[in-house]
Amino acid sequence: MKFKILLALIFVNLMQAQKFYFPKTAVTDSLILEKQMPALAVQVISNLQTVKYKPKNDADFSDTLFRLQMVAKEYKKSIATLAEHRNQFADHNMAGYKSLGYEVYSMAKLTEEAKKTSFSKALQAAFNAKYESLDEHLLPRVGLAVNGDVNNFRKLLKKALNKQKGKDSINYPSALALCKAYLNYKTYSSIHPQIMQLLKVKDNEKFITETKNLKTNNGNTLTITIIRKKENKSPLPVILTSNIYAGEIDHFFGKRAAVYNYVGAVVNTRGKRNSNDENNPFEHESQDLYEVIDWVSKQPWSNGKVGMIGGSYVGFSQWAAVKNLHPALKTIVPQVSVGIGIDYPAQNNVFMSYMLQWIQYVTNNKYTDEADFSNAAKWDSINTAWYKSGKAFRALDTISGKPSKIFQRWLDHPSYDQYWQKMVPYKEEFAHINIPILTTTGYYDDDQIGALYYYKEHLKYNKNAEHYLVIGPYNHGGAQSFGFTYVGGKPIDPVARISIDDLAFSWFDYILKNGKKPEILKDKVNFQVMNTNTWKHVPNLDGMHTSTLKFYLKDRKTSPSVFSKPESIEFTKQVVDFKSRDEKDIYYKLSKTDSAKVNNLIHFESETFDKDIIISGNLSGLLNVSVNKKDMDTDIYLYQVQPDGKPFLLSTHTARASYAKNNEVRQLLQPNKMEQIPIRQSIFTSKKVEKGSRLLLLVGISKNPNWQLNYGTGKDVSDETIKDAGEPMVVKWYNDSYVEIPVYKD
């Protein structure tokens, strides 16, 4: 009987843990809301460590906890938790800067209470104390950390509250989301704009900032911001950034160069900030930057030497600049560089839905439309609406409610043709790039293919190029700032947690000030091997591996090893119905608790490894297939299935079959005839795969709302509709197809 009572109590407690009292009057009455939120936060905290709701890692736990403690008005505890969070986040003081606004708010609330002073005075004291305590190299990030979008936070809070209309209880996920939305609005509506004014005062004490409009020879206007440290009186090398993301980040880029004792110059692209010219991303950088470099090199604060830095689009800009190399440009540090026409807006010739979201982000106004860009629910619904409609990919912008000439123009160039080629160096033009270059990217970088495309082409046409590469377990943000402790919820090795800023400016010191070469650059290619806590240094990309394993598309039920060539040729048949839009997710079970999503994918599993191996480099190989259509878009995923059954994604590959042999010329497939499709430009990785692991290879057809749908008619894929689907796509994947897996041995 006691056991039954205990079970009942546990059940009641679980039910209580999932639902909290929250009066419906709090939705419409701000005074009641203010009273209810601290109590709600306390209840959420009490459930934070339950198995069901526990965050996926320590950093996520501490990040969530300090926010809830703030809502609960436990400000002293929140500051302590935040300090712990920063220690978990990374191993250097560049980490955790985004939480600075919350820390200053908590400090101000404690001061307000202790000294019985106004919040405004307490905020000033707290901000000044925090600013003075920061490492100088962190100061440029303060503006990014405290410049919250109050209007957007207000909208998000209202949205969270509206979900509770007519309800007197709230479940855990909704309560947590409400607490976070409430905190964002409460914090930034309290500190903004005062904290921005306080920062301006501090910046004026330390920096000289000038903003000018430059007129180009063809009559266009570009806005340029120059930032220098007041204490630096003599001319210095200039670190230039070409930035389409106009806004507070311009001052970050400029101040970042200044605190490393350079002149920071940040030029906005056409149509941004003070420019009334047409904004056509990517198209004019090469032309405009030659004139900008010429101008900055001749200013009195410049010693005539110019370097460039930046990531993503800003990384692309540097490759645009060296297409027509100015003598004053002495080095570039392109980070996570967009490979225009290579990996964006199409990856291996397959256009992505994300391109429209990004176009609107940078063209909706003279700055960046952060609220629209970060509205994931909106863009998911747009992409899903297009997918379910069966309309042509060209209709995506119309479905979004905002037709785009840029979107349509990009779709007019599905090949890597002259439209894309004219924006950056092309083939032999790479041979003339004779300045030192440092490239950084990561295994989780969305633009890794682009960054490494430039690297490979440069070395292909200029074999003696002084071009160094650093690649590690970094995502798109980490490889242009600092190595986060957690990427994708998984911890990275301590040795990988480096400051990319420190590396970049050490490089500038080496090239522009005759300093020492950064210690990590022991050879041309420097890569971190995950799960070993070591870096390796080799002379070229091929050196990342010493041998390969051919993973054949074989059924292990009839063969002991997927790594041996099949004795007889067979095939696995796959049928994909492009008329269907209501597919349910399909999963392949890996263990009692873990599985992999396999929609439109066929799975092949290797035998278990009896010793550790290091997979290092990128996938290549050959797909022997026949399909009843003229084209198809293929997807490949390679997972490590760890000894505990958990999957770890190692590499991916997406490509259009008709461009697999040549991304400049479309070569349609012959229906129902054996075709050989090479695997090129997949994602690089480097990781020790432990004994007891096995590999899971997923191969199949791309069919989801995030990418174009290739119905296989041979027409321009952007114009195909569901009416072109016809009979289902039938693919025969022959078992002598293989994915070549790179392996590294010391």
Side-chain angles (χ1 to χ4, degrees):
M1 187 65 182
K2 288 182 179 179
F3 180 69
K4 288 183 178 180
I5 293 172
L6 182 60
L7 282 177
L9 287 172
I10 291 172
F11 178 76
V12 169
N13 287 334
L14 283 172
M15 292 298 292
Q16 290 174 342
Q18 293 170 4
K19 290 277 188 179
F20 308 119
Y21 170 70
F22 190 74
K24 54 191 172 187
T25 51
V27 173
T28 53
D29 191 320
S30 59
L31 292 177
I32 295 175
L33 179 67
E34 288 288 313
K35 290 180 180 178
Q36 290 296 323
M37 288 307 299
L40 180 63
V42 169
Q43 292 182 80
V44 175
I45 289 171
S46 68
N47 284 263
L48 192 57
Q49 294 199 65
T50 62
V51 174
K52 185 171 182 180
Y53 299 121
K54 191 171 184 179
K56 55 190 174 184
N57 57 55
D58 290 343
D60 280 356
F61 177 81
S62 57
D63 179 78
T64 302
L65 179 59
F66 93 75
R67 295 170 193 273
L68 291 171
Q69 287 170 331
M70 287 184 67
V71 177
K73 298 186 177 182
E74 297 173 348
Y75 299 116
K76 193 171 183 179
K77 286 183 179 179
S78 76
I79 292 171
T81 303
L82 186 51
E84 181 183 342
H85 171 65
R86 287 189 179 136
N87 289 336
Q88 295 163 339
F89 195 76
D91 291 341
H92 48 78
N93 60 14
M94 298 299 285
Y97 74 93
K98 288 185 178 180
S99 56
L100 192 144
Y102 302 106
E103 183 178 12
V104 171
Y105 177 86
S106 292
M107 291 168 62
K109 295 302 288 185
L110 289 173
T111 301
E112 179 187 31
E113 176 65 25
K115 296 191 175 181
K116 307 299 180 186
T117 187
S118 68
F119 180 78
S120 177
K121 288 182 179 178
L123 180 62
Q124 181 175 354
F127 176 78
N128 288 340
K130 186 62 186 176
Y131 186 94
E132 296 299 330
S133 73
L134 294 173
D135 182 279
E136 184 182 43
H137 292 157
L138 187 56
L139 297 181
R141 297 185 183 272
V142 173
L144 298 177
V146 300
N147 191 23
D149 187 340
V150 177
N151 288 332
N152 188 45
F153 288 149
R154 183 188 293 110
K155 291 177 185 176
L156 293 175
L157 174 59
K158 186 177 180 181
K159 187 176 179 181
L161 286 170
N162 284 341
K163 289 182 179 179
Q164 292 305 121
K165 277 187 176 179
K167 301 176 185 176
D168 270 328
S169 65
I170 185 170
N171 62 29
Y172 178 90
S174 297
L176 179 58
L178 176 59
C179 285
K180 289 183 176 181
Y182 172 83
L183 177 66
N184 287 339
Y185 177 66
K186 181 74 174 177
T187 300
Y188 284 97
S189 62
S190 300
I191 68 175
H192 199 278
Q194 183 186 352
I195 202 165
M196 297 305 294
Q197 186 58 42
L198 292 169
L199 176 61
K200 187 175 181 180
V201 171
K202 288 293 186 183
D203 282 349
N204 287 340
E205 292 173 358
K206 193 172 190 66
F207 304 107
I208 298 170
T209 302
E210 304 171 81
T211 300
K212 300 175 179 290
N213 290 335
L214 300 183
K215 280 285 185 183
T216 64
N217 291 335
N218 58 10
N220 295 108
T221 300
L222 304 173
T223 304
I224 189 166
T225 301
I226 302 101
I227 300 182
R228 301 173 281 146
K229 269 169 67 171
K230 283 186 174 180
E231 65 188 57
N232 290 330
K233 308 294 184 182
S234 301
L236 291 168
V238 179
I239 304 304
L240 173 67
T241 301
S242 176
N243 186 31
I244 198 170
Y245 305 107
E248 181 62 33
I249 198 167
D250 292 329
H251 294 92
F252 160 67
F253 286 139
K255 288 186 283 188
R256 179 178 63 174
V259 296
Y260 282 97
N261 294 307
Y262 290 88
V263 174
V266 186
V267 64
N268 298 125
T269 56
R270 294 187 194 181
K272 306 301 289 186
R273 203 175 279 271
N274 299 336
S275 171
N276 292 319
D277 299 311
E278 191 173 0
N279 179 359
N280 288 310
F282 299 102
E283 293 191 6
H284 305 294
E285 263 72 353
S286 183
Q287 176 186 353
D288 292 346
L289 284 172
Y290 190 92
E291 295 184 47
V292 173
I293 292 167
D294 189 69
W295 183 84
V296 298
S297 68
K298 295 174 180 176
Q299 299 309 301
W301 29 259
S302 169
N303 71 356
K305 296 179 180 179
V306 180
M308 293 185 73
I309 190 176
S312 199
Y313 186 100
V314 185
F316 145 81
S317 296
Q318 295 167 70
W319 287 107
V322 297
K323 187 177 178 76
N324 184 17
L325 188 60
H326 192 286
L329 184 59
K330 304 301 182 184
T331 186
I332 60 174
V333 181
Q335 302 162 324
V336 298
S337 305
V338 169
I340 188 63
I342 300 294
D343 70 353
Y344 178 83
Q347 186 174 124
N348 293 331
N349 302 91
V350 184
F351 283 105
M352 57 191 71
S353 306
Y354 167 77
M355 63 192 276
L356 181 63
Q357 181 179 356
W358 184 87
I359 289 169
Q360 293 195 16
Y361 178 46
V362 298
T363 62
N364 279 355
N365 57 50
K366 292 293 189 72
Y367 296 89
T368 48
D369 194 340
E370 300 289 345
D372 182 78
F373 182 71
S374 60
N375 189 345
K378 169 191 169 179
W379 287 103
D380 284 345
S381 68
I382 290 170
N383 295 340
T384 301
W386 160 73
Y387 180 77
K388 289 185 175 294
S389 75
K391 292 182 179 180
F393 192 69
R394 282 191 184 277
L396 183 63
D397 60 338
T398 303
I399 290 171
S400 79
K402 193 165 188 176
S404 168
K405 291 180 181 179
I406 297 168
F407 178 76
Q408 296 297 330
R409 184 159 64 247
W410 288 0
L411 292 183
D412 288 339
H413 300 277
S415 305
Y416 188 64
D417 60 14
Q418 289 186 351
Y419 176 74
W420 310 110
Q421 294 165 11
K422 69 181 181 182
M423 300 178 188
V424 289
Y426 177 66
K427 291 191 174 179
E428 285 78 9
E429 291 176 332
F430 279 98
H432 306 297
I433 303 171
N434 55 10
I435 59 173
I437 298 174
L438 172 62
T439 287
T440 61
T441 183
Y443 305 137
Y444 307 102
D445 172 23
D446 299 321
D447 283 306
Q448 184 208 97
I449 289 173
L452 294 182
Y453 165 79
Y454 296 121
Y455 183 83
K456 289 183 284 190
E457 290 295 289
H458 190 200
L459 271 295
K460 177 180 176 181
Y461 290 99
N462 184 348
K463 298 193 185 316
N464 297 317
E466 189 180 354
H467 192 159
Y468 289 81
L469 170 69
V470 173
I471 181 170
Y474 311 126
N475 60 16
H476 195 60
Q480 56 180 316
S481 53
F482 44 81
F484 303 122
T485 300
Y486 291 86
V487 177
K490 297 178 176 64
I492 69 172
D493 291 344
V495 74
R497 300 168 198 169
I498 65 173
S499 167
I500 302 295
D501 282 354
D502 285 349
L503 170 62
F505 283 91
S506 294
W507 171 265
F508 285 134
D509 289 347
Y510 169 55
I511 301 299
L512 301 175
K513 295 182 177 179
N514 298 315
K516 289 178 60 178
K517 186 165 72 171
E519 187 177 344
I520 198 172
L521 304 181
K522 291 182 169 62
D523 213 326
K524 292 296 178 63
V525 174
N526 306 274
F527 63 103
Q528 203 271 315
V529 184
M530 295 185 287
N531 206 24
T532 68
N533 202 35
T534 59
W535 285 87
K536 299 292 183 184
H537 313 274
V538 293
N540 51 51
L541 279 173
D542 286 342
M544 285 184 69
H545 71 275
T546 54
S547 61
T548 60
L549 277 174
K550 287 185 177 180
F551 190 133
Y552 290 92
L553 306 193
K554 295 166 60 177
D555 187 345
R556 288 252 354 272
K557 293 176 183 176
T558 59
S559 176
S561 175
V562 297
F563 301 122
S564 61
K565 193 170 183 178
E567 294 178 2
S568 60
I569 303 303
E570 300 170 354
F571 62 81
T572 303
K573 187 166 81 170
Q574 181 183 18
V575 179
V576 180
D577 185 2
F578 277 90
K579 289 181 181 176
S580 172
R581 290 293 188 274
D582 296 312
E583 307 95 329
K584 293 182 179 179
D585 287 340
I586 302 170
Y587 292 91
Y588 174 61
K589 203 162 185 60
L590 300 171
S591 66
K592 289 182 179 179
T593 57
D594 297 286
S595 58
K597 188 175 175 180
V598 292
N599 288 41
N600 303 306
L601 298 165
I602 298 172
H603 60 269
F604 301 91
E605 202 167 352
S606 80
E607 56 267 39
T608 301
F609 291 111
D610 58 8
K611 60 182 177 181
D612 295 346
I613 69 164
I614 292 175
I615 293 177
S616 184
N618 70 327
L619 306 180
S620 56
L622 197 65
L623 299 176
N624 293 314
V625 302
S626 69
V627 59
N628 63 334
K629 306 281 184 177
K630 295 180 181 179
D631 202 3
M632 61 182 184
D633 293 344
T634 60
D635 277 341
I636 298 175
Y637 301 87
L638 179 68
Y639 287 90
Q640 171 195 0
V641 182
Q642 300 172 117
D644 61 1
K646 294 189 180 301
F648 186 102
L649 184 60
L650 294 169
S651 182
T652 65
H653 180 260
T654 295
R656 181 151 295 158
S658 58
Y659 284 107
K661 294 174 182 175
N662 185 341
N663 65 351
E664 298 180 25
V665 180
R666 193 178 190 193
Q667 302 171 53
L668 294 175
L669 309 179
Q670 293 190 40
N672 299 311
K673 181 187 174 185
M674 173 78 79
E675 298 273 3
Q676 289 193 325
I677 302 172
I679 300 169
R680 301 185 304 127
Q681 295 200 140
S682 61
I683 297 297
F684 276 73
T685 192
S686 186
K687 183 180 188 291
K688 183 180 79 173
V689 173
E690 306 95 331
K691 174 184 176 182
S693 298
R694 59 193 191 275
L695 297 181
L696 174 67
L697 181 65
L698 305 180
V699 179
I701 299 301
S702 177
K703 180 178 179 263
N704 68 72
N706 298 318
W707 299 86
Q708 280 182 314
L709 293 181
N710 186 347
Y711 293 90
T713 65
K715 297 193 301 189
D716 187 332
V717 176
S718 296
D719 297 325
E720 289 181 316
T721 73
I722 199 167
K723 293 177 183 178
D724 293 300
E727 62 184 25
M729 182 176 287
V730 180
V731 188
K732 294 177 181 177
W733 302 93
Y734 286 89
N735 61 349
D736 59 344
S737 302
Y738 61 88
V739 173
E740 199 156 9
I741 298 169
V743 176
Y744 180 87
K745 290 182 181 178
D746 284 314

